[in-house]
Amino acid sequence: MLILGMDTATRVCSVAVCKDEKILGSLDINVGLTHSEGLVPQLETLLKLARVKKEELDLIAVSRGPGSFTGLRIGMATAEAMAYALDKPLVAVDTLKAIAYNLPVSGVRLTPVLDAQKGNLYVGSYAWKDGQLVELAPVEIVAGKELAARLEAGDTPAVLMGECQRVPMEGEFRKVSMAPESARLPRGSSAAILGAKQFDPEVDKYAYFGMDPFYIRRSEAEELWEKRHPQGR
């Protein structure tokens, strides 16, 4: 199966094409370009370098969040448009789970985090068991300054991933460490491989449009609008 994966949940724009679990090509851009100007050219370059025609793709996988509201909308809209134009099945994967998929290490609590604004973090919790990545707890929003102490109090060593530089690590922590930088951020290849594993032909084949991003919280624009229009609640 040829899978195109893309992740635009953070400032990194990552795309990859995989044949089953083999990565044929991957491009990660982290130079401040907006996803609206960089994603489509990046996809075209990737497919050209991997010598894969768009029509040969079997599946498109896209990260659905949590993460940047604008980035997620751009990524999902692009994936939906490609799936519709090419008549290819489309599947959405959870961003934090895809990040955890970068590090297949057992015996630890993989804890990917992403910025949720105002000092808060989106936090996931996963572990590898019998070769499968399982969710230990639902994704939640946690104050960044509280996270390291909470993990230190747990029974299992924790490995921070994602935007873990946002987690204050003042003091001595024996059970909390940070993943190598190369494994921290979202990868299009992880989105592709994870998407193929969870793909259900009966459910996902015609899911071109209508997939909802996994925001968890409302955007600041929505919160501001409600403050200015309380009667509209």
Side-chain angles (χ1 to χ4, degrees), residues 109-131:
R109 188 184 192 98
L110 297 174
T111 310
V113 301
L114 291 176
D115 183 22
Q117 303 297 319
K118 300 178 181 178
N120 298 314
L121 297 168
Y122 298 116
V123 181
S125 184
Y126 306 89
W128 287 92
K129 296 183 179 180
D130 300 323

Side-chain angles (χ1 to χ4, degrees), residues 4-231:
L4 177 67
M6 60 184 83
D7 193 300
T8 56
T10 68
R11 71 187 304 272
V12 177
C13 189
S14 180
V15 296
V17 60
C18 301
K19 184 174 183 180
D20 298 322
E21 296 190 18
K22 179 181 179 181
I23 302 172
L24 301 183
S26 178
L27 285 177
D28 300 333
I29 304 297
N30 186 15
V31 293
L33 289 175
T34 62
H35 299 325
S36 61
E37 63 180 317
L39 178 56
V40 172
Q42 194 172 338
L43 288 168
E44 292 175 346
T45 299
L46 168 71
L47 293 172
K48 181 178 180 180
L49 292 175
R51 298 182 180 181
V52 172
K53 296 179 180 179
K54 292 182 289 186
E55 295 77 14
E56 295 174 334
L57 295 171
D58 298 303
L59 177 68
I60 296 172
V62 62
S63 170
R64 75 184 189 109
S68 161
F69 286 61
T70 301
L72 291 172
R73 285 194 291 267
I74 292 170
M76 295 190 76
T78 301
E80 288 177 336
M82 284 189 67
Y84 178 75
L86 299 170
D87 192 25
K88 302 294 181 180
L90 173 65
V91 64
V93 301
D94 292 350
T95 302
L96 295 177
K97 187 173 184 179
I99 293 174
Y101 201 84
N102 293 348
L103 198 63
V105 177
S106 59
V108 297
R109 188 184 192 98
L110 297 174
T111 310
V113 301
L114 291 176
D115 183 22
Q117 303 297 319
K118 300 178 181 178
N120 298 314
L121 297 168
Y122 298 116
V123 181
S125 184
Y126 306 89
W128 287 92
K129 296 183 179 180
D130 300 323
Q132 301 294 321
L133 184 64
V134 299
E135 186 178 60
L136 301 178
V139 175
E140 58 181 332
I141 296 177
V142 178
K145 61 183 180 181
E146 300 174 0
L147 182 59
R150 182 200 286 196
L151 295 173
E152 182 70 16
D155 297 328
T156 307
V159 178
L160 290 166
M161 305 178 70
E163 296 175 329
C164 46
Q165 73 278 3
R166 297 182 181 276
V167 181
M169 295 286 286
E170 299 176 0
E172 185 176 356
F173 295 95
R174 297 182 178 180
K175 293 182 181 178
V176 185
S177 61
M178 292 190 181
E181 188 169 355
S182 60
R184 290 180 189 175
L185 291 179
R187 290 178 181 168
S189 56
S190 290
I193 296 170
L194 188 59
K197 287 182 177 295
Q198 71 180 51
F199 173 58
D200 183 341
E202 298 302 321
V203 175
D204 300 310
K205 184 174 181 179
Y206 300 104
Y208 299 136
F209 301 106
M211 293 191 307
D212 294 322
F214 184 32
Y215 287 144
I216 300 183
R217 69 173 183 86
R218 293 172 299 169
S219 68
E220 291 187 14
E222 291 172 318
E223 292 175 353
L224 181 61
W225 190 92
E226 284 201 355
K227 288 180 180 179
R228 293 177 175 176
H229 304 83
Q231 71 279 5

